[in-house]
Amino acid sequence: MSTPAPKSDFLSSLNEAQRAAVTHESQPLLIVAGAGTGKTTTLAHRVAWQVVSGVRPERILLLTFSRRAAAEMMRRVDSLLSALDESEFADAEQLSARQIRGGTFHSVATKFLRRHGQLIGLYPDFTILDRGDAEDLLNLARAGMELPKATGKRQRDRFPLKNTCMDIYSRCVNTQRKIDDVLKQWFPWCIPFRDKLAELFGQYAQLKEEQRVLDFDDLLLFWNALAQDKDGGPLLREQFDRILVDEYQDTNVLQAEILRGMAPDGVGLTAVGDDAQSIYSFRAATVRNILDFPDEFPNTKVIPLEQNYRSMQSILDLTNGVIAEAAERHHKNLWSDRGRGQEPTLVTCGDEDSQTDFLIEEVLNNREQGKLLREQAVLFRSSHHSMSLEAELGRRHIPFQKYGGLRFLETAHIKDLISFLRLAENPFDAVAGFRTLLLLPGIGQAKARSLLDHLRQSGGRFDSWKEFKPPASLKDLWPKFIQLMTRLIDRPGSSEAGLPAELHAVRLFYTPLLEAKYDNAKPRVNDLKQLELMAGRYRDRTEFLAEMTLDPPSSTQDLADNPSLDDDYLVLSTIHSAKGLEWDTVYVIHAADGNIPADQATGTDEEIEEERRLFYVALTRAKNQLYVCRPERYFFKNRRRSDFGSLSKTTRFLPSKIQKLCQIRSWGEVLGDSFTPGQTDLPIGDTTEIRNRINRLWS
């Protein structure tokens, strides 16, 4: 058994900047944590230091961007506190992380709104719509309006599809900007439909009110309203002495407003993040929040963390050079005491096939030298950039795992199962009701709408459906369905056995419907069984539905009881999905203008700056080896050398002065070493001199 550590040893593992951040007093604090500088370690120590310094754990609020991040943070804090010598503290019972309040913005919002939402007129038994369900409800609102058909002959005559409408709505809410501004900046092709969109959003809001449901945006919107309320605001603020926010560069305007409502003067507020890793503007996140934090909260102390524990110095020299070109940033210069290591390598490949050949050759060579496949990652700007590589990996039987695909809760059979529970939780939830009823044979849209209207008029009593005479195909199943829903609404209990029993009952009823509706029924049923096993982790159905909606597992692998630890596979990932991760060796591919930065993200200076930060994130994932690859030629069809194509230009984020920090290589048939420092790019599309020579023949 290890000897308890004295309080004086609490900070012994931290460097000077980390200690300054951890022990800072209650004035506003911004920790600018560069990539690989021990951000999580620093934040965990700061949370624990508050407890050590006498702040009651239940008066600390920690906001993160994923449930896993919150759980990992609490585990670290608890480990730090449990290692201390309790005899040094007057109240040793408080040395625990269990009472610290925390979670994602949306999960914390849910808890506040269930407890205090009545102050702003909110029913506490609301259910939560995920993005897909919100789009479906928006579509229900569309159905009652006279709108131009999506199949109009001219694009300008087509009313936006439901996902675009939801994007516009969400952007308005999260940026807190009027629809005219949002349409002008992000959706100019939708400007002709401005008035109809405004009407649609009003109808959508009314449906949510009638059905007692909130979407993701509502959770933040209503939390902000509660924080601004004359009664709710003081009630929330008096609960906390310290508020700490992780990944602050990923917050949006609405989240920043919430924090101002929770801590108007910034006292007790700590924000941790890296402006150089702000890459989620497509989710309405804004880098301005972290850049402007010192202006929003006067007397803010800014502490940069610059000692990197991940990468070799040669890699950091390159990443420092890339981000130094940013137009605006919190200054920091990452350094490491791990040594220089191998210089980053810039590789010009003849074409995309050559790039694939190079990657596989290098990956297998590294594997022969003892480096596991899963210690190597191929990163790319867009998901389709890996298609050629995926095909060749499959042909050569090289295992790989790709990140950035369909989330587990977005799969149809999982959404079907969850809809039964959601309808039982809230019989006014029309989206869940429609999805559930349309699974039953003989029930169409009109009949489902009639049944849901009847259910609402009866006050949510499922036995009122006994009056319905089902079609012959549903005669035997309909009584069983009513019995199931009645059992679910009666709630056999909130014990750990209760929720798995509910899921088990739904699975038994739903499985024949699944087998009749979907292909590959067996693996889908296995998914449902895994979900049933996982249900035992939750206190009750309300918590389960909230957590599964707000932070669902990304795949069925997250549900497995005994995942294989021995399987080896190459990692393929979009750069967005790679954020927060690290590998021994990283290959960044398609580093050509038009891909990095992406063509569609170069319309404004702000977009280009975010693309620069995205490239920076990719480079900083590497610990020991970094390769940046560019196909010199792109062929427009069939990828055959005889087909018409074009020459590419090296990404603008690697000008010649930064290329000098790298090794230079070429692979395949390369026309010229375009990575050579100082060499200008080939004059693509200019044949003036040749034309002039030909013209002399008849001039």
Side-chain angles (χ1 to χ4, degrees):
M1 184 175 179
S2 60
T3 304
K7 181 179 177 180
S8 58
D9 286 351
F10 184 80
L11 307 175
S12 60
S13 64
L14 304 178
N15 63 42
E16 184 178 349
Q18 290 173 329
R19 283 196 297 274
V22 167
T23 59
H24 180 74
E25 298 295 333
S26 61
Q27 294 83 6
L29 173 64
L30 175 62
I31 304 174
V32 182
T37 57
K39 172 182 70 72
T40 303
T41 295
T42 304
L43 185 55
H45 275 78
R46 178 150 178 80
V47 174
W49 180 258
Q50 307 305 310
V51 178
V52 169
S53 302
V55 179
R56 300 294 303 183
E58 66 272 15
R59 297 190 62 79
I60 298 174
L61 175 63
L62 173 64
L63 295 169
T64 63
F65 272 79
S66 73
R67 181 176 53 193
R68 286 183 174 182
E72 172 63 14
M73 194 70 67
M74 292 301 99
R75 187 194 66 77
R76 291 200 189 194
V77 172
D78 216 30
S79 177
L80 289 169
L81 295 175
S82 63
L84 293 174
D85 187 348
E86 295 182 358
S87 65
E88 292 193 46
F89 299 89
D91 186 0
E93 290 185 359
Q94 82 171 60
L95 295 179
S96 169
R98 286 188 293 274
Q99 296 183 61
I100 292 174
R101 311 269 289 277
T104 67
F105 269 89
H106 293 91
S107 66
V108 170
T110 301
K111 294 170 186 174
F112 284 152
L113 294 175
R114 291 213 191 278
R115 190 173 298 126
H116 308 300
Q118 68 274 12
L119 293 174
I120 53 175
L122 187 67
Y123 283 101
D125 61 347
F126 61 84
T127 50
I128 304 169
L129 303 174
D130 66 16
R131 171 61 186 240
D133 293 326
E135 289 180 0
D136 289 342
L137 185 59
L138 192 68
N139 223 26
L140 285 177
R142 285 165 52 114
M145 299 174 58
E146 293 184 6
L147 299 174
K149 299 297 183 182
T151 56
K153 292 182 179 180
R154 296 179 300 179
Q155 184 173 357
R156 66 174 181 268
D157 295 331
R158 302 172 192 166
F159 194 78
L161 297 175
K162 64 178 182 180
N163 59 330
T164 303
C165 293
M166 183 55 65
D167 285 340
I168 297 169
Y169 173 86
S170 185
R171 182 77 64 164
C172 290
V173 172
N174 287 294
T175 61
Q176 291 292 279
R177 292 174 62 178
K178 291 186 177 296
I179 188 173
D180 299 285
D181 295 336
V182 168
L183 291 177
K184 182 178 180 180
Q185 180 168 349
W186 288 288
F187 305 92
W189 64 93
C190 298
I191 290 175
F193 304 107
R194 185 261 181 219
D195 292 341
K196 282 295 185 182
L197 284 167
E199 181 184 350
L200 173 62
F201 297 157
Q203 295 282 352
Y204 173 60
Q206 182 62 34
L207 283 178
K208 288 187 292 182
E209 186 75 15
E210 293 173 357
Q211 298 178 18
R212 303 180 188 178
V213 296
L214 301 182
D215 60 27
F216 285 176
D217 299 326
D218 288 331
L219 293 173
L220 301 182
L221 196 64
F222 280 73
W223 180 6
N224 190 40
L226 183 62
Q228 306 298 331
D229 183 74
K230 63 180 180 63
D231 298 317
L235 184 63
L236 293 182
R237 287 189 286 274
E238 70 183 12
Q239 295 182 40
F240 303 104
D241 297 321
R242 298 290 187 271
I243 300 175
L244 302 96
V245 188
D246 194 13
E247 304 286 8
Y248 193 66
Q249 77 281 348
D250 294 335
T251 55
N252 59 41
V253 169
L254 183 54
Q255 288 164 326
E257 282 194 12
I258 289 170
L259 290 176
R260 284 193 292 272
M262 296 290 291
D265 54 5
V267 173
L269 179 60
T270 297
V272 185
D274 183 7
D275 54 289
Q277 298 186 65
S278 178
I279 59 174
Y280 291 116
S281 66
F282 64 91
R283 297 180 187 167
T286 172
V287 70
R288 298 271 22 126
N289 283 351
I290 191 168
L291 290 175
D292 297 341
F293 188 90
D295 298 326
E296 291 287 340
F297 300 100
N299 302 317
T300 290
K301 176 71 172 179
V302 180
I303 299 180
L305 303 183
E306 299 178 302
Q307 183 175 357
N308 180 284
Y309 296 94
R310 174 188 299 158
S311 304
M312 306 301 281
Q313 187 60 49
S314 61
I315 295 175
L316 296 179
D317 289 344
L318 178 64
T319 61
N320 287 334
V322 168
I323 204 61
E325 300 292 307
E328 188 177 3
R329 67 188 182 110
H330 287 296
H331 181 78
K332 61 184 178 302
N333 194 56
L334 300 184
W335 61 275
S336 172
D337 59 9
R338 294 188 59 217
R340 283 210 59 80
Q342 176 181 310
E343 302 293 320
T345 304
L346 300 180
V347 187
T348 303
C349 303
D351 55 22
E352 191 173 5
D353 288 342
S354 295
Q355 179 179 253
T356 294
D357 292 340
F358 169 78
L359 289 168
I360 292 178
E361 181 84 10
E362 203 66 36
V363 165
L364 294 180
N365 282 342
N366 278 331
R367 185 174 181 274
E368 288 299 316
Q369 295 172 21
K371 194 173 296 181
L372 294 174
L373 291 177
R374 64 174 177 266
E375 294 175 348
Q376 306 179 65
V378 181
L379 306 184
F380 33 86
R381 172 62 178 85
S382 301
S383 184
H384 67 271
H385 287 166
S386 66
M387 291 176 62
S388 172
L389 177 60
E390 291 176 50
E392 188 63 15
L393 289 171
R395 193 183 71 80
R396 298 199 194 186
H397 305 291
I398 299 173
F400 65 91
Q401 176 93 29
K402 185 174 181 179
Y403 293 91
L406 189 67
R407 291 170 70 88
F408 181 56
L409 200 61
E410 292 171 352
T411 54
H413 56 292
I414 296 297
K415 288 182 73 69
D416 288 346
L417 186 78
I418 295 293
S419 68
F420 285 87
L421 300 182
R422 281 184 45 203
L423 183 59
E425 187 76 3
N426 177 8
F428 298 96
D429 185 340
V431 173
F434 266 106
R435 188 175 193 103
T436 304
L437 288 170
L438 292 177
L439 291 170
L440 304 177
I443 301 289
Q445 291 277 352
K447 181 55 67 176
R449 183 174 288 105
S450 173
L451 286 167
L452 290 174
D453 287 342
H454 188 72
L455 180 65
R456 186 164 51 251
Q457 292 164 9
S458 70
R461 289 176 41 251
F462 289 106
D463 58 5
S464 67
W465 278 349
K466 291 180 180 178
E467 303 170 15
F468 168 61
K469 293 183 179 180
S473 58
L474 192 56
K475 184 178 180 180
D476 295 332
L477 196 59
W478 185 247
K480 296 178 182 178
F481 175 61
I482 296 175
Q483 183 181 15
L484 171 66
M485 297 309 300
T486 302
R487 173 186 172 185
L488 292 177
I489 205 169
D490 286 343
R491 311 211 40 183
S494 59
S495 66
E496 289 189 1
L499 180 59
E502 291 182 38
L503 276 165
H504 181 72
V506 174
R507 178 172 64 82
L508 291 182
F509 177 85
Y510 169 61
T511 296
L513 302 175
L514 179 155
E515 292 171 341
K517 184 175 182 180
Y518 300 115
D519 295 330
N520 303 316
K522 186 174 181 180
R524 293 177 187 266
V525 172
N526 287 337
D527 286 349
L528 304 184
K529 291 178 179 178
Q530 291 290 347
L531 195 63
E532 186 179 320
L533 290 172
M534 192 185 70
R537 305 175 192 172
Y538 298 89
R539 289 192 301 268
D540 53 35
R541 186 171 66 208
T542 300
E543 182 187 61
F544 171 77
L545 289 173
E547 291 295 328
M548 286 296 291
T549 304
L550 297 174
D551 194 7
S554 59
S555 70
T556 53
Q557 291 179 343
D558 290 352
L559 304 178
D561 281 341
N562 298 301
S564 172
L565 300 180
D566 297 323
D567 292 343
D568 195 19
Y569 49 82
L570 178 66
V571 175
L572 310 184
S573 176
T574 62
I575 301 173
H576 283 102
S577 295
K579 185 173 178 291
L581 304 176
E582 61 183 42
W583 293 273
D584 181 279
T585 301
V586 168
Y587 309 86
V588 182
I589 61 174
H590 291 290
D593 255 27
N595 291 327
I596 300 177
D599 269 339
Q600 66 271 24
T602 55
T604 65
D605 291 342
E606 291 79 10
E607 289 176 334
I608 294 173
E609 287 303 305
E610 176 155 335
E611 291 291 299
R612 186 193 312 278
R613 296 192 295 268
L614 189 62
F615 186 51
Y616 172 83
V617 166
L619 302 181
T620 54
R621 302 308 95 198
K623 294 193 287 187
N624 295 318
Q625 289 182 299
L626 173 63
Y627 296 87
V628 180
C629 305
R630 172 184 69 99
E632 187 181 57
R633 297 185 298 279
Y634 285 94
F635 294 96
F636 295 158
K637 58 178 181 177
N638 299 329
R639 295 165 47 248
R640 291 185 351 224
R641 298 184 188 280
S642 59
D643 289 326
F644 181 70
S646 67
L647 296 176
S648 70
K649 294 178 64 176
T650 306
T651 173
R652 69 190 70 181
F653 304 138
L654 290 176
S656 59
K657 64 180 180 180
I658 296 179
Q659 293 178 25
K660 293 176 182 178
L661 301 171
C662 306
Q663 301 180 59
I664 310 301
R665 287 184 65 179
S666 60
W667 187 274
E669 298 179 6
V670 178
L671 296 178
D673 194 350
S674 301
F675 279 120
T676 301
Q679 180 177 329
T680 59
D681 290 298
L682 294 172
I684 302 170
D686 186 357
T687 59
T688 303
E689 179 56 33
I690 297 174
R691 296 294 182 193
N692 286 340
R693 273 185 273 154
I694 296 173
N695 285 341
R696 295 191 192 107
L697 295 175
W698 47 78
S699 63

